Amino acid sequence: MGSVNPDDAQKDKKIVIVGSGIAGISAAVKLMKSGFKKVRILEASGRSGGRIKTGKLGNNIVEIGANWIHGPCEENPVFCLARQYGLLETEALTPKNQAMDVREYPPWVPNFFTSSGRKLNTEVAQSLQTTCLDIFDETSDYQGDRVTFPSVGEFVRSKFTEKWKDADEVTRSLAFSVASNTLKVECCCNGAHSMDAVGLSGFNMYKDLPGLDCTFPKGYEGLIKNLLLEVPPDTVTYNCPVRCIEWNNTESQSPVKVECEDGTSMTADHVIVTVSLGYLKKHHSLMFSPPLPLHKLQSIQRHGFGTNNKIYVEFDSPWWDADCEVIYFLWEDEDAMVDQMPDIQSSWIKKLYGFNVLKPTERYGPVLCGWIAGHESEYMETLSEQEVAQSVTHLIRQFTGNPILTPKRVLRSQWFHDPWTCGSYSFPGIGSSSQDLNNLGEPLPNTGSQPLQVLFAGEATHPCFYSTVHGALLSGWREADRLISHYSTAPSNRQNFNK
Ligand code: 6YU
């Protein structure tokens, strides 16, 4: 995106950014580099980073929020910035790594365990898993009606049942256990309660970038810290939740008034809202005065936002294969392809599909990261860490058949109960289309005498990289560019953001 310095007279325009996650910070950096001087970020919590959050498990650095750079290649600005700041390991920087086309499934070495304590033959289980993933891939070619299959879950279940209809009882039962597990994996990838809530028509709006997903050895927050060094230290005001944004204030010179929870208020020429879609779903009616227009509200409702949490578990020694990178737990009683538990209180743990092994082992020791999505995950958040540890210990003993295995440490995330996030990330809901993503990112008002009073950034506003850090970062740049372009005096430098 070409940035053009705005006219000198416009550099005093007051811009308030709500939220100091990656979208808010990237917008601030771009605006200030372009000459805007009065840029202020108001952050509800006591830290920057939002859903980028690095923590500690014993001496290990672990990610509580975003984990990977999805698709680390030249087209990915998070990869380019991380490389520029020297935050990545040599292997992630190789052209070979950047060129790998893995789509959503990195070629991790798996181990499969079952609920009767058996370790399955990897080839057999993996081939059943591939059959299931191929059906997920078929969603991109599906041209049929959306009434028969409104959701990805219904589509996959139907095709998978058809595929195995003539198989013998034992094979079909195992295939369906694998399919249930794959649906739970997909719930985590999409941050959805069930794949029945993920719209088939919007499922392929997401665009994969090439490159083998990589991590930040010293933590994702390094990206945030480096970006913040590019703006004056007092740019962010912490512990300052915004309560209400009054826009269309035609009587004042500044058309927007921002009211904070502590009763203070300030005027602004432009406000960039970067709060999560989960937060907007819950608080939009109090947050905007006048209320948001109907088409925006409908898109806020239609586009999905759900929970995906992690449960880190540390052991004294590994019980998985030395080369294993991912562990899947298959429930043998799940032969009806289920991704929702009927009784959440007693069976929430069945939603946890398995674990990633933290690599390299020399750095982390025997540490696993479990994944659990949906309402089961939200219920898990209400339990004490000790109760979570007990359930995980019981689960691992059952699946390994080892009655004395005991984790050394357990740490879980709680994104649903984080009052400033209200969940993990967005996904296409039933009936969601690219129009909804456009509506979510559309500024208010878009035309008229005082346009661009309230602008919207954040992962859920990106047309094809929603749910990711790079999507959020690009959305922040997009809104900064919108303002820079608005104040650019040379017509040839003005960009049309309505295309
Ligand atoms: C990625 C990954 N990753 C795991 C987990 C989570 C997420 N993501 P922010 O919320 O950050 O900032 C808003 C700020 O606003 C915040 O600081 C608030 O405190 C503040 N705020 C709120 N209300 C306020 C108020 N009233 N006043 C003032 N301030 C207020 N992304 O690239 N790689 O590995 C993962 C993962 C557990 C929770 C992730 C990952 C998502 C990113 O973390 C997330 O998008 C961005 O950080 C959001 O930044 P932001 O600035 O928009 O908001 C079809 C299809 C498939 C699609 N899926 C494929 C990809 C799957 C994505 N996978 C993610 C997986 C993991 C594991």
Side-chain angles (χ1 to χ4, degrees):
M1 288 188 197
S3 57
V4 182
N5 282 350
D7 219 9
D8 272 358
Q10 312 295 354
K11 286 179 184 168
D12 282 335
K13 293 286 173 190
K14 280 201 279 184
I15 302 172
V16 170
I17 299 173
V18 183
S20 192
I22 188 81
I25 298 169
S26 63
V29 170
K30 192 154 222 207
L31 286 165
M32 291 185 122
K33 278 188 172 175
S34 297
F36 285 93
K37 291 191 294 265
K38 295 186 177 166
V39 178
R40 196 168 164 191
I41 304 180
L42 302 180
E43 167 56 45
S45 73
R47 55 177 283 278
S48 281
R51 283 169 273 172
I52 294 177
K53 185 176 183 185
T54 305
K56 279 277 192 112
L57 178 74
N59 289 327
N60 278 318
I61 292 169
V62 290
E63 303 296 354
I64 310 299
N67 227 68
W68 295 283
I69 301 181
H70 287 308
C73 63
E74 293 298 334
E75 207 191 315
N76 187 329
V78 172
F79 172 70
C80 295
L81 281 174
R83 178 176 58 189
Q84 180 191 320
Y85 296 140
L87 302 174
L88 301 178
E89 276 168 320
T90 332
E91 202 182 328
L93 303 172
T94 60
K96 184 172 157 241
N97 202 85
Q98 291 175 50
M100 278 181 82
D101 192 2
V102 296
R103 309 219 36 221
E104 258 188 77
Y105 301 98
W108 290 324
V109 177
N111 279 181
F112 293 86
F113 292 87
T114 74
S115 46
S116 61
R118 289 186 299 140
K119 183 158 176 282
L120 287 184
N121 174 297
T122 304
E123 270 174 32
V124 171
Q126 211 172 5
S127 94
L128 291 171
Q129 194 185 48
T130 305
T131 314
C132 195
L133 291 176
D134 287 346
I135 291 174
F136 273 94
D137 275 351
E138 281 177 33
T139 55
S140 55
D141 301 328
Y142 182 66
Q143 301 292 335
D145 72 278
R146 307 294 181 192
V147 178
T148 318
F149 300 122
S151 74
V152 176
E154 283 152 295
F155 177 84
V156 169
R157 256 198 291 275
S158 162
K159 299 283 167 187
F160 203 75
T161 309
E162 175 68 20
K163 174 108 197 151
W164 295 100
K165 70 177 188 313
D166 298 324
D168 63 83
E169 187 63 36
V170 175
T171 311
R172 195 172 54 235
S173 176
L174 180 60
F176 277 32
S177 294
V178 171
S180 294
N181 183 267
T182 309
L183 284 170
K184 293 175 203 170
V185 174
E186 282 292 326
C187 286
C188 288
C189 292
N190 287 275
H193 170 53
S194 161
M195 291 309 286
D196 292 358
V198 179
L200 184 58
S201 49
F203 192 49
N204 288 291
M205 294 190 296
Y206 183 80
K207 188 178 159 210
D208 285 304
L209 290 172
L212 182 61
D213 290 2
C214 64
T215 54
F216 292 73
K218 294 198 175 136
Y220 226 127
E221 271 190 23
L223 178 68
I224 298 293
K225 291 196 176 106
N226 275 279
L227 276 170
L228 283 174
L229 290 176
E230 305 209 23
V231 293
D234 57 352
T235 304
V236 188
T237 307
Y238 292 102
N239 302 306
C240 186
V242 168
R243 182 172 51 202
C244 186
I245 297 164
E246 287 175 27
W247 56 290
N248 253 351
N249 191 351
T250 41
E251 278 143 42
S252 160
Q253 260 208 318
S254 303
V256 199
K257 188 170 140 201
V258 178
E259 268 180 40
C260 301
E261 290 281 359
D262 64 4
T264 56
S265 65
M266 65 200 74
T267 56
D269 296 290
H270 308 280
V271 174
I272 305 180
V273 176
T274 74
V275 302
S276 77
L277 177 60
Y279 187 90
L280 274 186
K281 278 179 188 279
K282 203 168 166 185
H283 298 291
H284 68 80
S285 60
L286 291 178
M287 198 174 190
F288 298 94
S289 175
L292 296 174
L294 189 61
H295 66 286
K296 211 174 183 70
L297 288 179
Q298 285 169 338
S299 295
I300 288 174
Q301 273 157 10
R302 211 168 13 239
H303 203 56
F305 192 83
T307 307
N308 179 22
N309 274 309
K310 304 173 179 191
I311 307 179
Y312 285 100
V313 196
E314 185 177 356
F315 292 88
D316 284 319
S317 56
W319 43 266
W320 49 92
D321 292 347
D323 63 346
C324 171
E325 293 169 298
V326 59
I327 297 167
Y328 296 105
F329 278 1
L330 308 181
W331 289 87
E332 284 162 334
D333 59 350
E334 285 182 348
D335 49 11
M337 280 191 276
V338 290
D339 64 5
Q340 311 177 51
M341 300 309 126
D343 178 4
I344 287 185
Q345 296 198 0
S346 63
S347 55
W348 65 269
I349 193 90
K350 290 180 82 174
K351 188 68 168 274
L352 185 142
Y353 77 74
F355 302 89
N356 276 105
V357 182
L358 264 55
K359 296 279 180 175
T361 309
E362 309 81 67
R363 180 184 306 145
Y364 295 102
V367 180
L368 302 178
C369 176
W371 296 93
I372 179 165
H375 300 329
E376 296 82 354
S377 187
E378 291 159 8
Y379 176 72
M380 178 277 291
E381 293 186 21
T382 66
L383 301 174
S384 70
E385 205 143 85
Q386 201 185 5
E387 285 170 308
V388 173
Q390 272 169 4
S391 297
V392 170
T393 305
H394 185 265
L395 179 85
I396 292 173
R397 288 179 179 175
Q398 176 180 353
F399 276 76
T400 56
N402 180 340
I404 56 163
L405 265 179
T406 307
K408 213 163 104 182
R409 281 192 191 91
V410 172
L411 174 74
R412 49 74 197 267
S413 59
Q414 290 169 292
W415 287 104
F416 181 69
H417 288 90
D418 180 323
W420 312 118
T421 308
C422 312
S424 299
Y425 38 87
S426 67
F427 63 88
I430 304 290
S432 274
S433 68
S434 50
Q435 186 58 51
D436 291 311
L437 292 160
N438 288 343
N439 289 349
L440 288 171
E442 187 187 71
L444 296 174
N446 211 357
T447 51
S449 59
Q450 286 185 308
L452 309 186
Q453 296 173 32
V454 189
L455 302 94
F456 294 83
E459 55 89 6
T461 69
H462 196 278
C464 56
F465 298 139
Y466 52 85
S467 78
T468 66
V469 173
H470 54 283
L473 184 138
L474 285 168
S475 74
W477 282 353
R478 178 193 68 213
E479 295 313 311
D481 272 331
R482 202 190 290 274
L483 289 175
I484 294 162
S485 174
H486 178 67
Y487 288 113
S488 165
T489 39
S492 59
N493 286 329
R494 288 198 202 117
Q495 296 175 43
N496 184 354
F497 290 87
N498 297 326
K499 275 182 191 162

